[in-house]
Amino acid sequence: MKLTREEYRALEATVGPEYITQEPVIMDTYNQVWGNKFFFDAKHSVRPAAVLLPASAEEIAAAVKACNKYGILFKAFSSGFEYLSLSLAHSKGILFDMRRMNRILEIDAKNMRAVVEPYVSVYRLQLEAARHGLYTGRIGVGYSAGVIAAECCHHGCQHTMVSTSGYGRNVLGVEWVLPTGEILNPGTGESGGDLFSADGPGFSLRGILRGRTGANGGHGVITRASVKLYPWYGPKEWHQKKQPGEPLSRGQLDRVPDGYRVLVPTFPDLESQLEAAGEVCRTEILYGLSIAMLATGVVPEGNDEDWAWARKADPRMADNFRQSLVLVMGAPSKRMLDYREKAARAITDKWGGRFLPEFNEPKALARAFIDLIWSTGVPSLRITGDFLPSSSSPDGSPDMLKRLALAEQQIVARYEGQGAFFQKGKKAVTWRPEEHLSIGAQGISTALYDPYDPMSLKAAREFIDELFDPRGKLKRFGVPSRGGCLQIEPVTHVHQNWGHLYDNYDVWMMKIKKVLDPDTVGDWTAYIPPEYPDYARDGDYVLPSYGKEEEL
Amino acid sequence: MAEKELKKIVGPGNVLTGPEALEEYAGDGLFAPAVTPRCVVRPGSVEEVQAVVKWADTTMTPLVPVSSGAPHFRGDTVPGAAGAVILDLKRMNRIVRVDPRNKLAMVEPGVTFGELQAELAKSGLCAYLPLAPRANKSVIGSVMEREPITFAAHHWDSCDPLLCAEVVYGTGDRFRTGEASGPDTPEEQWEMDRVQMNPFGHSHVDFQRLISGAQGTMGIVTWATVKCNYLSRVSRALMVPSATLQPLIDLMYLVVRCRLGGKLFIVNGLDLACLLGGGSREVKKRGKSLPPWVLFISFEGYGPLPEDKVAAEEAEFREMAKQGGLEPVGKVPGATAAAILKLLSGPSAEPYWKTRFKGGFRDIFFLTTLDKTPEFATAVPEMAGRYGFPAGDIGVYIQPIVQGTSCHAEFTLYYDGADAAGTAAVKRLDREGVAELAGMGGFFSRPYGAWADAAYRRAPGTLAMQRKLKEIFDPHGILNPGKLGFRELKAEEVR
């Protein structure tokens, strides 16, 4: 749907003619991401009516006011990893591409926080923070992920959550253009002080900023944020080298930096591996942890090589991979590192772990370190070009996550047996601990399918339906409703199917959405719709609506 | 009539109307105007809480939730207007579950820190405590009000140590936050190893943040799970005395940056003297012999190598202190670090430590960053002097929070209620002084009583949004009206 001349001009007036476009070719660069085939049955999701490149909160506020006046949907987009960032409920919708707002506004090294604009990537902040002896958490989806996207707007899980937290718990302040065009600065920002707290006066508006997952563009635009930083014990400059057969983006360190140590113990079975992982987290010695996700080897440059490597992997090696941990420890002194390593070794011994030479030689440890601590992307995308973060990667106790992973693996195995999914061999159970495991961990389970193989695609949808049906085997885990990657409301109907079972959270959310966005101009596809469309049902269960690209 | 209906809900013995009972809830000293409630209701279950809230919502009756025992000090539990009903949650006092594997406990609102601490010890755990809370302080009351804990390294988020909660909104609807949400009862969730541990969400909204720091205006919490810690098998403690605050702040930055140690804070000599006990004369005497400023740190030994942990951390700390020309010690004239550590393991002995010096006290606290605290530590006594309050009667407590990105700065004005001039000065400081401190950048994130004026004057956008949200969860404004930026119910509105 095109904008009328009047609508276009009203938007143009907010950012200037150079920074707005509705060229179809350009529009189509904004609606092709992985996952589209799964959800919309097309390579493209809804094409935006225009893209704006604003330079300030004021410009965005003015454009949002125009959206209210003309009934235009909007959504902001920065790093744009997935369908959630770009989906629009209908084509009378615009995107704000935030690339012009790309400044690191402040690093307060003493008080360990940074203030950034939306287009600042984790990569850039990591490089800059390292110069101050600080660090920002490693985001699971890769180094190009936006800091604000991860902390304020989307899923935001991190591989270093054991020591750097995540999921919005690092947010200390925001500047927020509401869907009405008003600008809100909760906490110290509004009172004119440094952005060190977004809580209060009184109850915290961080509660509506995001939950377990972000609003995915559904409640306005975050134009700056203050985030916590954590200590960095490595060099002030990263010195990575391209290795033979590796792209520069997978550059490596020669060795683990002095302020860190890495151990890769391998355990005799799943039980001992997970018990050791739990204990080492609770001992509070870790900077980063990876369970059954090793990257000690050289990474193939091309996807085909990666595929071939995955196919020919020695099964014994694969077993060792699955039953290993990567323990990264950091400290300001040799003394503290010695204690931490000694504790890690004691726990390894207790649970029967051993240190295989091939995982623990210096180069392998350096690779494991950089993979865990720096952001290197989502390997799951390499094999088939797509994957399903199946049960929405829930959070909870390690025991719950193990129970869920094993239950889900039985279902995955059925699809793998049919040849519909890439068979990853024996299963691993893995989770990412949060805050020394004091608030639990995030489970990770993926299923690899081929979106352009009709049989595989059909199976993927059946698989997700099976997992997401509250009448199914996983009902008591309730995880889809907690807010994961597959909530896209015109399609999967997660809120509609689960809300009434979960204290009617969806009803409260709809009311909040109404307060924030009375004219419903903030795109709601990955947040909450103003009201539920009347889709086909099977009893109370609202059937998924794959392929419904355009709702209006 | 109202009492009759309430008796039907909670039983006749749990509706109190006697003058003595009502008097306990009618005021909290100097700072909140005394208002006698209509009655006190003591529910015994979430269903009873829901029924009372629905009744109040229907009758437009102000409902004031209370979970800690008297005396109260901040005005948030005193009715804002006549006709209010006190919802006293002390009957709901079960420690529902202790989970040593996941280091958490589920408690009801009537559980005090002393009770929880004793129960946790049986499982090798301990609670995260604020600085020597009063003996009858509710754990949930403290946690929901974002009271800072002394274990700085484990304070990740302003809501810590809160995990999940069950809340009854002003509509009477029940809601569970975070992982606790769901169709199953908690007991059924435990069967699946869902232990109400993860605080995120539900979904796109973090509902628990909307009830934290809300002074009971957004919902009534009927149970919560809280993080706990391992009980130390080996522990040591040190003090770093200093004549001035700045060197200790410099040291504090080094320590919080690498999450060293366990309990960690700075107090001035007077606060330390009060903490250590004794009567007024003893406090005064000890206060004179103690150093002007003390940084306290404990090293807590748990995990597989508790001795090694404590030894490494202590050595590390000593080296950091040395770099700043400071000397950690186990003992100063009038105090030992070991004695302080013992005091910090439970609630305050009676009488409550802040009443020991002069009987009366008033805390003024706000958030700031550590580097700004010396400025406030100079400004507050100067300001007190201008209002005629003796600078020497001010206690100071500085607690790093949220991984050291900010700190809780607390100035305690110790006064004698029989001293009219001193009392008047405290009252003025409580209103005018707070406005000055807010002007200097002190962030009153938990504005009690009259502080709300100063806090919200600088936060009109926040207030406007909070009022809209309040209308969702408490559409008739019955939950603790008159607190924060929410208006009183007018007499003609109360049916």
Side-chain angles (χ1 to χ4, degrees):
Chain A
M1 186 182 291
K2 281 189 176 174
L3 300 174
T4 65
R5 183 179 292 260
E6 182 185 342
E7 290 165 347
Y8 185 84
R9 284 199 174 150
L11 292 169
E12 186 185 59
T14 65
V15 292
E18 285 176 74
Y19 297 111
I20 181 169
T21 181
Q22 49 185 358
E23 281 296 324
V25 173
I26 295 177
M27 295 303 99
D28 278 354
T29 65
Y30 284 93
N31 64 353
Q32 297 181 54
V33 284
W34 67 280
N36 277 348
K37 185 72 181 167
F38 179 84
F39 285 108
F40 309 116
D41 217 13
K43 192 173 178 182
H44 302 81
S45 56
V46 171
R47 177 192 278 174
V51 173
L52 280 70
L53 279 71
S56 68
E58 289 70 26
E59 286 185 6
I60 295 170
V64 166
K65 283 177 182 166
C67 289
N68 277 271
K69 183 176 176 186
Y70 295 106
I72 301 167
L73 276 183
F74 73 88
K75 188 175 226 171
F77 153 81
S78 59
S79 45
F81 171 62
E82 57 192 13
Y83 40 87
L84 297 173
S85 335
L86 293 161
S87 60
L88 287 168
H90 58 74
S91 59
K92 193 176 178 182
I94 60 165
L95 292 175
F96 292 114
D97 181 337
M98 309 297 284
R99 68 184 60 227
R100 289 174 70 212
M101 297 179 70
N102 62 357
R103 292 174 300 165
I104 296 173
L105 297 168
E106 180 189 0
I107 289 191
D108 180 348
K110 211 165 194 180
N111 295 303
M112 295 193 293
R113 61 182 184 84
V115 181
V116 296
E117 290 188 324
Y119 209 68
V120 173
S121 64
V122 168
Y123 165 74
R124 269 189 62 208
L125 186 56
Q126 278 183 351
L127 290 183
E128 191 57 38
R131 297 189 179 113
H132 301 271
L134 293 167
Y135 176 76
T136 185
R138 184 263 215 222
I139 304 296
V141 298
Y143 52 70
S144 62
V147 174
I148 285 184
E151 300 284 0
C152 303
C153 304
H154 295 287
H155 197 52
C157 50
Q158 308 178 3
H159 283 263
T160 53
M161 288 192 294
V162 68
S163 70
T164 64
S165 197
Y167 285 114
R169 279 170 73 92
N170 290 325
V171 176
L172 301 172
V174 292
E175 177 184 69
W176 178 359
V177 179
L178 299 170
T180 53
E182 296 160 289
I183 297 177
L184 181 65
N185 291 277
T188 53
E190 187 171 24
S191 62
D194 294 335
L195 299 179
F196 61 80
S197 173
D199 302 307
F203 66 84
S204 176
L205 295 182
R206 283 169 71 197
I208 53 169
L209 174 71
R210 66 165 295 151
R212 197 262 179 181
T213 190
N216 300 314
H219 68 16
V221 185
I222 307 303
T223 49
R224 72 174 63 179
S226 174
V227 296
K228 258 187 267 175
L229 298 173
Y230 291 88
W232 168 247
Y233 304 113
K236 290 194 182 307
E237 303 282 341
W238 290 83
H239 293 293
Q240 296 189 95
K241 291 179 184 169
K242 181 181 180 305
Q243 302 296 315
E246 291 187 342
L248 188 58
S249 61
R250 302 290 293 202
Q252 299 295 324
L253 296 175
D254 284 334
R255 61 186 181 83
V256 175
D258 288 342
Y260 291 89
R261 292 201 191 146
V262 182
L263 294 175
V264 183
T266 302
F267 294 86
D269 51 41
L270 178 70
E271 293 299 320
S272 56
Q273 176 200 28
L274 295 183
E275 288 299 322
E279 187 169 345
V280 81
C281 290
R282 295 184 187 104
T283 303
E284 301 166 18
I285 57 175
L286 290 179
Y287 196 86
L289 169 77
S290 171
I291 302 173
M293 295 172 82
L294 297 193
T296 52
V298 173
V299 179
E301 186 161 5
N303 285 358
D304 291 343
E305 287 171 72
D306 198 50
W307 171 264
W309 176 85
R311 288 284 179 194
K312 74 175 184 192
D314 180 340
R316 283 167 306 174
M317 180 71 106
D319 275 347
N320 289 335
F321 263 58
R322 269 191 297 279
Q323 284 160 209
S324 293
L325 304 175
V326 177
L327 312 176
V328 176
M329 292 153 283
S333 69
K334 180 179 177 302
R335 177 192 300 116
M336 290 302 294
L337 274 175
D338 286 347
Y339 155 67
R340 287 175 183 171
E341 181 174 343
K342 188 176 172 188
R345 287 185 182 278
I347 293 166
T348 300
D349 277 353
K350 177 180 167 182
W351 295 104
R354 63 209 162 104
F355 296 97
L356 300 176
E358 61 269 36
F359 294 163
N360 287 276
E361 55 92 12
K363 282 265 187 196
L365 295 178
R367 287 190 195 107
F369 172 80
I370 202 161
D371 184 68
L372 199 64
I373 299 303
W374 217 36
S375 305
T376 51
V378 181
S380 295
L381 280 173
R382 298 191 72 181
I383 294 178
T384 64
D386 214 322
F387 76 104
L388 295 167
S390 44
S391 55
S392 272
S393 309
D395 303 85
S397 74
D399 293 330
M400 184 277 273
L401 295 171
K402 177 181 158 195
R403 186 192 282 266
L404 171 63
L406 294 175
E408 188 179 313
Q409 283 174 10
Q410 289 181 0
I411 301 173
V412 174
R414 191 156 20 92
Y415 290 94
E416 288 179 350
Q418 295 163 8
F421 289 176
F422 172 67
Q423 195 161 355
K424 293 189 290 182
K426 278 191 208 165
K427 305 300 178 204
V429 173
T430 184
W431 36 259
R432 293 173 182 147
E434 297 153 347
E435 300 178 9
H436 299 320
L437 216 46
S438 65
I439 57 172
Q442 182 220 355
I444 311 166
S445 54
T446 55
L448 304 180
Y449 76 107
D450 182 350
Y452 292 97
D453 171 350
M455 189 268 282
S456 186
L457 178 64
K458 181 170 176 287
R461 288 175 175 168
E462 285 172 6
F463 168 66
I464 290 300
D465 298 347
E466 191 172 345
L467 261 53
F468 276 36
D469 186 342
R471 302 166 301 182
K473 282 184 186 169
L474 302 188
K475 171 187 175 182
R476 293 187 66 189
F477 294 102
V479 288
S481 64
R482 296 220 49 226
C485 307
L486 292 167
Q487 281 186 30
I488 196 137
E489 200 52 28
V491 181
T492 49
H493 311 307
V494 167
H495 299 313
Q496 204 168 355
N497 279 324
W498 290 84
H500 65 286
L501 295 168
Y502 279 76
D503 299 346
N504 295 313
Y505 75 87
D506 57 328
V507 176
W508 297 109
M509 272 175 49
M510 277 183 177
K511 291 179 179 177
I512 291 169
K513 167 76 171 166
K514 188 76 184 163
V515 157
L516 293 171
D517 185 10
D519 295 333
T520 318
V521 291
D523 177 78
W524 46 263
T525 49
Y527 185 47
I528 185 90
E531 57 188 45
Y532 291 128
D534 188 18
Y535 284 122
R537 289 170 177 263
D538 173 11
D540 286 339
Y541 180 58
V542 185
L543 296 165
S545 318
Y546 298 109
K548 296 227 173 188
E549 185 185 341
E550 178 80 24
E551 292 304 314
L552 291 182
Chain B
M1 182 63 185
E3 288 74 12
K4 198 175 164 187
E5 289 174 36
L6 290 168
K7 281 176 184 171
K8 274 191 211 162
I9 297 171
V10 296
N14 293 309
V15 178
L16 311 180
T17 53
E20 273 183 32
L22 300 186
E23 197 55 33
E24 186 183 319
Y25 300 88
D28 63 356
L30 288 178
F31 299 94
V35 177
T36 304
R38 182 194 292 190
C39 64
V40 177
V41 183
R42 302 191 307 177
S45 67
V46 64
E47 290 78 14
E48 289 182 6
V49 172
Q50 285 181 282
V52 172
V53 171
K54 283 177 183 167
W55 168 84
D57 190 45
T58 306
T59 57
M60 293 286 285
T61 303
L63 212 50
V64 182
V66 178
S67 49
S68 300
H72 303 279
F73 299 108
R74 292 178 180 163
D76 53 327
T77 56
V78 178
V85 167
I86 299 285
L87 190 72
D88 188 328
L89 297 156
K90 283 199 286 292
R91 261 182 80 212
M92 298 177 69
N93 61 358
R94 289 184 309 146
I95 297 170
V96 181
R97 182 168 181 263
V98 172
D99 180 346
R101 183 165 170 84
N102 294 299
K103 295 197 298 174
L104 61 86
M106 177 186 275
V107 295
E108 291 185 334
V111 173
T112 63
F113 280 109
E115 291 161 349
L116 178 60
Q117 199 71 310
E119 190 61 30
L120 289 175
K122 295 175 192 167
S123 302
L125 298 177
C126 60
Y128 289 109
L129 264 59
L131 183 64
R134 57 198 166 87
N136 55 4
K137 181 72 187 172
S138 152
V139 174
I140 284 185
S142 173
V143 168
M144 295 315 301
E145 280 303 295
R146 303 198 297 255
E147 197 72 42
I149 57 172
T150 55
F151 208 117
H154 288 185
H155 195 263
W156 296 80
D157 186 280
S158 57
C159 284
D160 272 339
L162 175 64
L163 294 173
C164 300
E166 178 181 72
V167 57
V168 175
Y169 291 132
T171 53
D173 290 296
R174 188 174 62 147
F175 190 86
R176 285 169 289 178
T177 67
E179 189 196 358
S181 180
D184 296 339
T185 63
E187 291 80 0
E188 289 165 334
Q189 293 181 353
W190 301 336
E191 291 169 11
M192 306 298 286
D193 292 312
R194 290 180 63 190
V195 294
Q196 300 89 36
M197 182 180 199
N198 193 264
F200 302 134
H202 204 89
S203 201
H204 307 276
V205 175
D206 221 334
F207 288 91
Q208 62 155 263
R209 294 190 192 279
L210 302 179
I211 48 172
S212 78
Q215 299 181 19
T217 60
M218 292 292 280
I220 294 160
V221 173
T222 49
W223 58 251
T225 47
V226 292
K227 285 182 185 180
C228 304
N229 196 26
Y230 291 122
L231 206 52
S232 294
R233 282 180 281 157
V234 185
S235 48
R236 281 203 277 279
L238 288 170
M239 291 179 285
V240 184
S242 176
T244 58
L245 179 56
Q246 187 64 53
L248 299 186
I249 293 297
D250 295 340
L251 176 59
M252 182 73 93
Y253 270 119
L254 296 176
V255 176
V256 294
R257 192 173 180 112
C258 56
R259 294 193 195 115
L260 202 63
K263 300 172 183 85
L264 173 71
F265 55 85
I266 294 171
V267 283
N268 73 350
L270 180 56
D271 259 5
L272 186 54
C274 290
L275 267 171
L276 286 164
S280 176
R281 195 173 299 168
E282 202 176 339
V283 167
K284 198 169 184 178
K285 190 177 165 198
R286 189 185 279 129
K288 282 182 182 163
S289 65
L290 286 168
W293 297 98
V294 170
L295 180 148
F296 175 88
I297 186 169
S298 71
F299 306 101
E300 315 270 348
Y302 46 81
L305 306 170
E307 291 277 5
D308 293 56
K309 178 177 185 292
V310 167
E313 289 188 359
E314 182 180 342
E316 194 76 8
F317 176 73
R318 285 183 180 278
E319 208 163 289
M320 287 176 178
K322 199 175 165 187
Q323 281 172 23
L326 296 165
E327 191 188 352
V329 293
K331 193 175 175 182
V332 293
T336 66
I340 298 170
L341 183 58
K342 197 173 172 192
L343 288 174
L344 298 175
S345 65
S348 165
E350 291 295 339
Y352 179 47
W353 66 277
K354 290 187 178 176
T355 63
R356 290 169 188 164
F357 182 32
K358 298 244 172 174
F361 73 93
R362 180 61 170 174
D363 292 329
I364 294 177
F365 52 83
F366 49 87
L367 301 186
T368 182
T369 47
L370 284 168
D371 52 343
K372 303 274 171 55
T373 53
E375 191 185 330
F376 284 111
T378 304
V380 172
E382 279 176 8
M383 189 190 302
R386 278 191 276 121
Y387 289 98
F389 188 85
D393 289 353
I394 301 174
V396 186
Y397 162 49
I398 296 166
Q399 180 64 62
I401 61 170
V402 194
Q403 298 291 301
T405 53
S406 60
C407 70
H408 165 94
E410 180 172 299
F411 295 85
T412 302
L413 311 172
Y414 295 104
Y415 69 94
D416 178 354
D419 169 11
T423 303
V426 173
K427 282 185 173 177
R428 284 190 65 200
L429 275 165
D430 191 57
R431 184 175 286 271
E432 297 161 44
V434 161
E436 277 191 56
L437 293 169
M440 289 173 60
F443 181 54
F444 287 80
S445 69
R446 300 188 287 142
Y448 294 100
W451 304 355
D453 291 342
Y456 282 111
R457 202 173 301 135
R458 294 167 182 280
T462 296
L463 179 58
M465 182 57 72
Q466 286 179 342
R467 284 179 173 160
K468 289 177 188 173
L469 295 169
K470 167 90 167 165
E471 279 186 24
I472 293 175
F473 295 98
D474 180 21
H476 296 131
I478 56 154
L479 295 179
N480 214 1
K483 305 302 187 300
L484 297 173
F486 306 126
R487 69 178 181 88
E488 293 290 354
L489 291 182
K490 291 174 189 159
E492 59 270 25
E493 290 178 296
V494 180
R495 289 184 205 129

